[in-house]
Amino acid sequence: MTRRIGVNTWVWASPLTDDTLPALARRAAALGFEAIELPLETPGDWDAAGARDLLHELDLEPVVVGAMGPGRSLVARAGDVAATTEYLRTCLHAASTIGATRVAGPFYAPTGVTWRMDAAERAAVEAELRDNLRPLADQAADLGIRLAVEPLNRYETSLLNTVDQAVAALGPLLGDGLGLALDTYHLNIEEKRPQDAIRRAGAAIAHVQVCGSDRGTVGEDHTDWPGILGALDDAGYDGVLGLESFTGENATIAVAASVWRPLAVSQDALAADSLAYLRAHDAKEHHG
């Protein structure tokens, strides 16, 4: 059995709303995707009950993706912990309503916020992060959901950049309610050997996002995709592979994701060509 391949609606638009979700979900299904990542940038952007019915009709497995915009942080230095906790509870509620078993994102500090820390400061921040994640992980486990915390590259955060950092910081919490979200874009930047990092993450992997090394089309880049897919096999990961890329036509998302030029001839081509490559090569890794 091969992994289900999904696509993030950020490939085409931001934010995702009740007005845009139906057309984007139907586009994803028409292209042949089996899963869909649904960003919840602001609570109320889209109705979970309505989305549930639509995705059931289209046979698309949902993954909820959180967005850590300005002020969203589970460490007090970087934002409002209480408001962020409530936001993540909203994400969990949406996931429970829609039937998603994963809520993924860099759930610790606003994306793009960095600061230097010595060893003592880092230890204190990691302890604070664990304390604030623990009740959310417990709630997730009670709902049958796994929060998937994503390490980001050094330009987007100074907290968790590598698999080893994430495992060291979150280790006591990793389990039914909390795991890691690995993104091949960040692995390519931060890991000396991404395949080895995937194997070390092992059972902690709760979700995987993929894209080309330039944030573009999977397979039209320098990533060792057979090696990545083989490492996911070795790690025992059989969940969704979610294509995450971004459109440069939306000013807000273009700046946030540093998309300054087209990454493919069209967003549909980026999605379709990535899907075709993954479908062919993931099957090859599983079946030889």
Side-chain angles (χ1 to χ4, degrees):
M1 178 179 292
T2 56
R3 287 169 276 255
R4 303 192 94 188
I5 301 170
V7 62
N8 194 306
T9 59
W10 275 331
V11 168
W12 295 286
S14 172
L16 180 68
T17 68
D18 281 329
D19 290 335
T20 59
L21 193 156
L24 293 178
R26 293 187 188 282
R27 180 179 296 184
L31 287 169
F33 286 97
E34 301 162 305
I36 190 167
E37 293 186 349
L38 303 176
L40 184 58
E41 296 182 40
T42 303
D45 277 350
W46 46 268
D47 175 64
R52 175 194 60 211
D53 295 341
L54 174 65
L55 300 188
H56 179 76
E57 172 194 334
L58 298 173
D59 193 25
L60 287 172
E61 178 179 342
V63 177
V64 173
V65 172
M68 297 298 280
R72 284 189 182 150
S73 179
L74 289 180
V75 293
R77 171 172 180 156
D80 187 332
V81 172
T84 303
T85 299
E86 186 58 32
Y87 164 71
L88 292 175
R89 292 193 188 282
T90 300
C91 290
L92 288 171
H93 176 73
S96 179
T97 300
I98 207 171
T101 63
R102 297 292 185 269
V103 175
F107 299 140
Y108 36 89
T111 303
V113 172
T114 59
W115 67 92
R116 295 185 67 184
M117 289 175 279
D118 61 25
E121 290 169 325
R122 181 172 290 278
V125 167
E126 289 176 354
E128 180 187 5
L129 175 61
R130 286 192 298 272
D131 286 345
N132 292 327
L133 266 175
R134 185 171 286 107
L136 291 164
D138 289 343
Q139 179 182 355
D142 289 343
L143 293 170
I145 296 169
R146 207 173 183 197
L147 278 172
V149 176
E150 180 184 6
L152 300 180
N153 69 71
R154 69 192 70 186
Y155 309 108
E156 297 184 26
T157 188
S158 48
L159 240 63
L160 301 179
N161 301 128
T162 69
V163 164
D164 289 345
Q165 281 182 313
V167 170
L170 304 177
L173 301 182
L174 294 173
D176 290 344
L178 190 76
L180 303 182
L182 302 188
D183 184 322
T184 61
Y185 178 77
H186 303 298
L187 292 173
N188 172 66
I189 296 172
E190 295 297 338
E191 301 291 350
K192 295 182 184 300
R193 295 178 180 82
Q195 297 94 318
D196 292 345
I198 289 168
R199 293 185 179 97
R200 288 197 301 276
I205 302 173
H207 186 57
V208 173
Q209 292 180 315
V210 296
C211 67
S213 55
D214 62 347
R215 266 296 183 205
T217 306
V218 173
E220 295 183 2
D221 64 318
H222 69 245
T223 302
D224 177 7
W225 286 106
I228 293 290
L229 296 169
L232 290 170
D233 285 343
D234 292 343
Y237 180 75
D238 61 359
V240 168
L241 299 178
L243 173 65
E244 185 190 49
S245 186
F246 306 93
T247 174
E249 295 184 7
N250 178 292
T252 300
I253 199 168
V255 172
S258 298
V259 178
W260 312 123
R261 56 184 171 78
L263 299 176
V265 296
S266 72
Q267 295 305 100
D268 279 358
L270 190 158
D273 292 347
S274 295
L275 174 60
Y277 183 93
L278 287 167
R279 184 163 285 159
H281 288 75
D282 200 29
K284 186 181 296 184
E285 285 307 309
H286 278 272
H287 301 300

